[in-house]
Amino acid sequence: MAFTEAGKNLPVKNNSGLTGLRNLGNTCYMNAVLQCLCSMSPLVEYFLSGKYVAALENGESATAFGYLMSDMWLGEFDCVSPEVFRSVLGERYPAFTKQTQQDAQEFLICVLNELHEALKKVRAHGDRRGWRCFRSIAGETSIITQLFEGQLSYDITCLECETTTDKPEIFTVLSLPIPSERACSLQDCLKCFFQQDTLTWNNQIHCSWCGTKQDAAVKANLTKAPKIIIFHLKRFDCQGTYKKKLLTDICYPLSNLDLSPYSSPLFRRNCKYSLCAVVNHFGFLDGGHYTAFCKHSVTKGWFSFDDSQITAIPSSSVQTAAAYLLFYTCQAFSAPTKSH
């Protein structure tokens, strides 16, 4: 295989995980997300090892995903087609079979949900946590929940009687507001998400102590940080018929992202996260293009994936104003291996 660096074609001896994806007609959103998932070593190794086969319940999509991961990591191809995976996933989500533009974040959530549903197992009774996963019953676990699932707790305080209740919520993708149209940092987005808010008017809560609807203060805390945390930067602002894309240049760190300020004291750990992949969106609401930046677990270098085109890039090029999805990990990735 050959990839480009500074306009030159260079041979690559170890091309595992450096395989382009054919565009099937406005499927750049799909290709960008798949490349990011293909760079998550623990997920890739799970599929390359064949462990997913024993866990399958009704998983045509998981099987197709496993074959695609194998082609991208073990094949001798410069470029492969994700057509089979798209076709199988399209049976559940028909919008992704159309040759129309789709949202990468929505596609990512559907893929994670579909893989979880295909691979989920029920925990033993003593390990049940009392909250639901992917809109399913409590106690379900899968490789997806093990890697990507986090938990928030919303402290809701009635402003009349000051009674506080906790509301847990599971997430796999954390959607962050963008507090500025000019420039801001990822920390600014996190502070905005986790700041205390007041619920009034139509957003009032029904206070069980007061017995009536009341204004309330609500504040989110991180009670479980996943091994791989995915941030969705809410660039698409839709209010009724008014729609626009926020072109804010958001500064995000490549390493040492500290989430402890947003974690509950009981769950606070000195855990730093490093960037491992980015989905970029170029253009506007009516037309655009998705690409991916991924850190390669073998070479430790950064690569740009633009459908079938793969380009080695310096780490200084990973920071762009087009970032839409950010993947961070709290554990260094090692090269995935395949069991014999």
Side-chain angles (χ1 to χ4, degrees):
M1 174 188 175
F3 65 91
T4 62
E5 181 176 28
K8 300 178 181 179
N9 288 328
L10 300 175
V12 177
K13 293 181 180 179
N14 192 342
N15 66 338
S16 296
L18 295 176
T19 302
L21 290 172
R22 187 168 296 114
N23 193 310
L24 306 176
N26 282 322
T27 56
C28 56
Y29 70 92
M30 178 182 302
N31 291 346
V33 168
L34 290 175
Q35 290 289 5
C36 289
L37 293 177
C38 180
S39 71
M40 306 292 134
S41 288
L43 180 66
V44 174
E45 186 165 313
Y46 178 81
F47 280 91
L48 294 187
S49 68
K51 293 178 182 177
Y52 75 96
V53 176
L56 279 176
E57 296 204 352
N58 54 354
E60 289 186 8
S61 57
T63 300
F65 185 84
Y67 284 142
L68 184 60
M69 291 296 102
S70 294
D71 285 344
M72 296 172 74
W73 270 95
L74 304 177
E76 297 295 330
F77 311 106
D78 288 353
C79 180
V80 297
S81 173
E83 184 173 3
V84 173
F85 178 71
R86 184 183 72 156
S87 176
V88 173
L89 189 72
E91 293 179 7
R92 288 286 304 276
Y93 306 97
F96 299 134
T97 62
K98 302 175 182 177
Q99 292 188 346
T100 56
Q101 295 189 49
Q102 301 293 332
D103 183 75
Q105 181 244 357
E106 293 177 0
F107 175 75
L108 171 62
I109 291 175
C110 290
V111 171
L112 294 179
N113 185 72
E114 189 69 9
L115 293 178
H116 168 73
E117 288 297 321
L119 302 168
K120 67 186 178 184
K121 294 296 179 183
V122 177
R123 295 186 184 96
H125 179 72
D127 189 36
R128 303 188 81 168
R129 303 185 190 181
W131 37 255
R132 58 189 176 87
C133 307
F134 290 87
R135 301 177 299 281
S136 301
I137 62 171
E140 293 176 353
T141 183
S142 69
I143 185 63
I144 303 302
T145 62
Q146 292 166 22
L147 295 178
F148 299 101
E149 183 181 271
Q151 183 180 14
L152 297 170
S153 177
Y154 288 92
D155 295 335
I156 305 173
T157 303
C158 173
L159 295 181
E160 178 65 25
C161 67
E162 298 185 349
T163 299
T164 298
T165 56
D166 298 330
K167 179 184 177 184
E169 181 179 293
I170 297 301
F171 71 90
T172 51
V173 179
L174 200 59
S175 292
L176 301 180
I178 300 175
S180 171
E181 292 194 20
R182 293 185 178 181
C184 66
S185 68
L186 179 60
Q187 290 288 4
D188 293 330
C189 298
L190 286 165
K191 289 176 183 176
C192 186
F193 180 88
F194 285 101
Q195 71 182 0
Q196 181 172 292
D197 197 9
T198 302
L199 304 178
T200 60
W201 298 96
N202 293 333
N203 294 319
Q204 284 183 322
I205 65 161
H206 184 275
C207 177
S208 57
W209 185 263
C210 296
T212 59
K213 284 191 173 183
Q214 299 289 347
D215 291 352
V218 58
K219 189 178 187 306
N221 291 291
L222 190 61
T223 53
K224 178 195 171 187
K227 294 178 181 177
I228 302 171
I229 189 165
I230 307 171
F231 297 118
H232 162 231
L233 303 176
K234 297 173 69 173
R235 292 195 178 276
F236 302 114
D237 185 16
C238 300
Q239 299 178 5
T241 58
Y242 174 75
K243 299 179 181 179
K244 70 173 182 177
K245 178 186 176 183
L246 297 176
L247 302 176
T248 307
D249 191 352
I250 301 172
C251 180
Y252 44 90
L254 271 62
S255 61
N256 294 320
L257 174 66
D258 185 7
L259 296 181
S260 61
Y262 316 108
S263 302
S264 297
L266 290 176
F267 300 92
R268 191 166 294 165
R269 297 182 302 167
N270 185 22
C271 190
K272 302 294 180 65
Y273 282 75
S274 296
L275 188 70
C276 53
V278 182
V279 170
N280 302 297
H281 181 268
F282 299 92
F284 299 92
L285 285 171
D286 297 331
H289 182 61
Y290 286 99
T291 68
F293 295 154
C294 303
K295 189 175 184 179
H296 195 249
S297 58
V298 178
T299 68
K300 307 303 179 184
W302 282 92
F303 291 84
S304 171
F305 295 85
D306 187 351
D307 291 330
S308 60
Q309 183 71 33
I310 303 174
T311 307
I313 59 174
S315 58
S316 58
S317 297
V318 177
Q319 174 76 55
T320 77
Y324 183 53
L325 297 172
L326 301 172
F327 295 70
Y328 279 88
T329 176
C330 62
Q331 299 175 346
F333 288 159
S334 58
T337 59
K338 180 183 181 183
S339 301
H340 297 287

